[in-house]
Amino acid sequence: MPSVYDDVMELAKRRGFFWPAYEPYGGAAGLFVLGNMGVKLAEKITRVWKDIFVRRNDFTEVDTPNLVPEAILQASGHVENFKDPMAECLNCHKRFRADHLVQEAGKDLKHGMDLKELLKDVKCPSCGKNLGWEVSTFLTMFETRLGPYTNSKGYLRPETAQGIFVEFKRIFETERERLPIGVAQVGKGFRNEISPRQGLIRLREFRMLEVEVFFDPEQPRCEMLGNSELEREVTILKEEKEKSVMLRDGIANGIIVNEWMGYMMFLAQEFLNRLGIPNESIRFREVPEDERAHYSKQTFDLEVNIDGYGWLEVAGIAYRTDFDLSSHMKATGSDYTVAVPLAEPRKEKVKRWGINIEKLKERYPERWKDIMKEYSGIKDRTGDIPKSIAGIDIDKDVFFVREEVVEVMHRKFVPHVVEPSFGVERLMLASLCHSYKVKEDRVILSLPSYLSPVSVCVFPLVAKEDMIRIARGYERRLKLAGFDTFYDESGSIGRRYARADEVGAALCITVDGQTLQDSTVTFRDRDTWKQYRVRDNMIEEEAARVVYQVK
Amino acid sequence: MPSVYDDVMELAKRRGFFWPAYEPYGGAAGLFVLGNMGVKLAEKITRVWKDIFVRRNDFTEVDTPNLVPEAILQASGHVENFKDPMAECLNCHKRFRADHLVQEAGKDLKHGMDLKELLKDVKCPSCGKNLGWEVSTFLTMFETRLGPYTNSKGYLRPETAQGIFVEFKRIFETERERLPIGVAQVGKGFRNEISPRQGLIRLREFRMLEVEVFFDPEQPRCEMLGNSELEREVTILKEEKEKSVMLRDGIANGIIVNEWMGYMMFLAQEFLNRLGIPNESIRFREVPEDERAHYSKQTFDLEVNIDGYGWLEVAGIAYRTDFDLSSHMKATGSDYTVAVPLAEPRKEKVKRWGINIEKLKERYPERWKDIMKEYSGIKDRTGDIPKSIAGIDIDKDVFFVREEVVEVMHRKFVPHVVEPSFGVERLMLASLCHSYKVKEDRVILSLPSYLSPVSVCVFPLVAKEDMIRIARGYERRLKLAGFDTFYDESGSIGRRYARADEVGAALCITVDGQTLQDSTVTFRDRDTWKQYRVRDNMIEEEAARVVYQVK
């Protein structure tokens, strides 16, 4: 029996939500097309996300490039860490994710195990033979070069986040230098999967919804977290045990490492609810340390249960600490710190170096003037003694170091970051699977009405000229009022209702014989199939009530 | 004196519209970041585009991948044609666009001229020397590989259009197989420019708004083109002469090759008007044949005049004929034709081939059964005689060819395509430059109010607790009503108004002493600086009137 997951995949292809890309060319694994219904659904999911994650919190939004120079992803650790284990069949030379092969062979895989050893008796899924495996690692970023020089390597971003981190200082400035600050980004992420075979779930190119919240690690309070948020119950899966935890308790007893993590968990659950996913199908899986990304101190994978698939990860919520900003600071020498004024200025001892001019003249009689010129321009002399000045190597003993007491007016620090990161395609899938219903052998996509790709269908009961004219007029009015409308006059009205239900159209309006007499139309509810009549001057109001309601 | 263009570039960076990407890493030519103001402006420009180009015409929308396998871009002609001439300085080995170097040296460049010859006496802009140039061509697509195999070459798409063409048949099916059909796509385009030095204008990664309209070349009427559209005057630049042309006349006398081109020109002008660009700053430059892209039979570049820059191309409107669909049909063998029922079935003579079984048995006594088995499965025998069947080469004289009369019920054809293609960053620039005003030494960004990144600012006159509380409440109400709001309590009210004007905020609302007494607030108009009082129960209505008005 096909599962809801299979049914949704079939429906999605047939009705233009999404389908595998480039089929006339034999397809391209891991790439999908969104059709008209899919574009609208993705857009509306993004809008709900923005309401909850951006507008509600007065966060800001940016859009940084997909293309990233290598130096940035070297600094962020991706060039070193964004790799998957790869196994190549020594007979047919097909390549696979080594860990997936082991798991598919029914073996238990633990961190640090020898993959080559585990693959010894595994047959190749492609040629069916077992002539052994070559195991290596594969960098799963798409590599290219920026411009016409061979050494100008670049990558397609594996996450939108690095763009935000690199640009942090300018964003912070344009937003008037206040913490906490949330920076959101909607955009593509890319991952050159070795062998993607899971339809919409494992993609080489996907839509991300990311927020980076920057906060002062010494002031980790999240003001948005009130009682109604703190009393939210979430299901946490930790060390293979599920338990229900109230956010307040989770934060208090350290299961959730800080308030911002807790608040993002609250918003994430709220968001999924708005996509029609009930709490009993939502859990936060704490990612064990050996599975966590290199930048994270705590990560929860947000998972949704899907009939016919199981638990699907739709988001990661990670405490990235100051890892990324500090990495870019180290790599560039740019100052990514934030300064907050101290309540009271503080006296601090600092070591400052200087040059003993007599010694300098003696040691570098011909160059001392150049050196002094450069030296006088160096304002901050609190770091290490320099090895050279003005390009001239200078002996250590020409310098002196003095301890001074200075008045410190500001506390400087690198902000810490909490990040919720969603994948749009997986959210679409979760939302579609949870709204897929069958009633009297007919499919109803019972999407929350504000998510429906088509908000209102308008039909003339029969394709007669007067009904067509009136129906077209109503459709135009509704479109002008901002609804996503669909007009159709072909086939029986029952067939048209069925087609509308299948794409989850929130509402059908039919112009019939009675309309010509009393200017009322038939409104039909998607989920109950109940019909009622509405006067034509109230069409927009009633449509708005149906389409924009949050149940 | 700085021009409007320079002023806008400075303002854009300072206030967070856009800035060059990755500056802490020394920058990356041709890549820009959109800040919060830029994201909102781009979003609103896209919304207006959708209203005009998609919703108005009941067109459909898709979203295809940025990554494209090589075979597709080979078929489309891009691998062969998407190249720029490149000149490398033989002294410092810097690389440049050869044609740009020639033009910057003040020389007249005509198609087919010898670039190496023209560069003979041109000095390198980088090292200042002239040791000669090596001239070659450079493929300006970003190359990568899809998956872990070295031979799986792919590119980042140079236009969104190819995704639409390859997927045409499935899109056509999900949209119920009717022509004409318009397919829109919003997404990134990529172009690996050799040496981009023009800020936001020449980008390696940019946002595109594209529509492909597919129509029957034997039924080229565009139903949307009514009198009010046909009477629109446009300025056409043809062979270096500008003239005003009424669309009706342009279509009638062949200056505009078909009605769909005319209709797209109408919509394009309408669109620019809605972005605040007046007709006198708009012209359609007909691209001469030798400059046109390889797929186009007619192209108009849509240009906007910008103070301090000159004429800037913001869109191309191209008649692509059946070039792309036919190319993909040839490359894949997939059927990209559309069949329309004929009014009356037509009798047609066709030649059909067959096999002379006696001869076959005689000539291939051991294999004839295999051959017949395969042969009986071949349905269409109207093409050329095959060279082999079932992998066996077969002599020509084993076949016969017979002429038959068949009844043809459908006319089959490859649809023709007209395409308007806009670049969002250039539209932003055009719109910003045309709304940049200076009044009493202060900058006002006089954007059409529905484009303003910030719709409504809410201020308490002074930062007193009661005023703050009321102002925050109003801001929340306006945000819930869908406005992009901004709340600010810091600094003098004059300073806050000035900051609001600078980003083009459509409206400022101030809570003051009188509010506490009579529940009215001050509304302030951005362009006139006029103030008037509004009762607090009318705030949303009056804000909507100001923000959503089309002047």
Side-chain angles (χ1 to χ4, degrees), chain A residues 392-463:
Chain A
I392 301 147
D393 290 344
I394 299 175
D395 298 338
K396 261 193 181 173
D397 67 317
V398 173
F399 296 95
F400 63 83
V401 176
R402 220 180 351 233
E403 202 166 69
E404 288 176 23
V405 174
V406 293
E407 195 162 67
V408 178
M409 314 292 285
H410 291 85
R411 180 167 56 86
K412 281 175 110 184
F413 61 91
V414 179
H416 278 222
V417 170
V418 158
E419 168 200 81
S421 169
F422 286 88
V424 178
E425 287 84 355
R426 291 178 174 206
L427 289 171
M428 285 176 64
L429 199 59
S431 191
L432 287 172
C433 288
H434 275 274
S435 65
Y436 188 91
K437 306 266 148 63
V438 177
K439 181 173 173 178
E440 298 173 18
D441 268 352
R442 277 160 56 173
V443 170
I444 303 179
L445 214 51
S446 204
L447 285 165
S449 52
Y450 45 83
L451 286 189
S452 295
V454 178
S455 305
V456 188
C457 294
V458 184
F459 306 140
L461 180 63
V462 284

Side-chain angles (χ1 to χ4, degrees), chain B residues 59 61 99 108 146 240 251 299 344 351 433 468 521 538:
Chain B
F59 285 172
E61 205 182 331
D99 50 341
D108 201 27
L146 309 177
E240 293 172 32
I251 295 167
T299 301
E344 280 177 58
K351 285 186 178 169
C433 288
I468 288 176
V521 293
M538 291 296 288

Side-chain angles (χ1 to χ4, degrees), chain A residues 19 22 25 34 43 50 55 58 66-67 95 143-144 147-149 167 176 192 205 328 479 488, chain B residues 22 25 34 43 50 55 58 63 66-67 95 143-144 147-149 167 176 192 205 328 479 488:
Chain A
W19 60 82
Y22 309 136
Y25 280 84
L34 300 190
E43 213 173 272
K50 270 195 201 179
R55 287 165 60 86
D58 285 323
N66 290 331
L67 290 163
R95 294 170 178 181
E143 186 185 314
T144 190
Y149 305 100
E167 305 295 341
R176 311 175 75 180
N192 200 5
E205 178 178 335
H328 294 303
K479 198 193 283 179
D488 190 14
Chain B
Y22 308 135
Y25 280 84
L34 300 190
E43 213 173 272
K50 271 196 199 178
R55 288 166 61 86
D58 285 323
D63 196 340
N66 290 332
L67 288 163
R95 295 170 178 183
E143 187 186 313
T144 189
Y149 305 101
E167 305 294 341
R176 311 175 75 179
N192 200 3
E205 179 179 335
H328 293 304
K479 198 193 283 180
D488 189 15

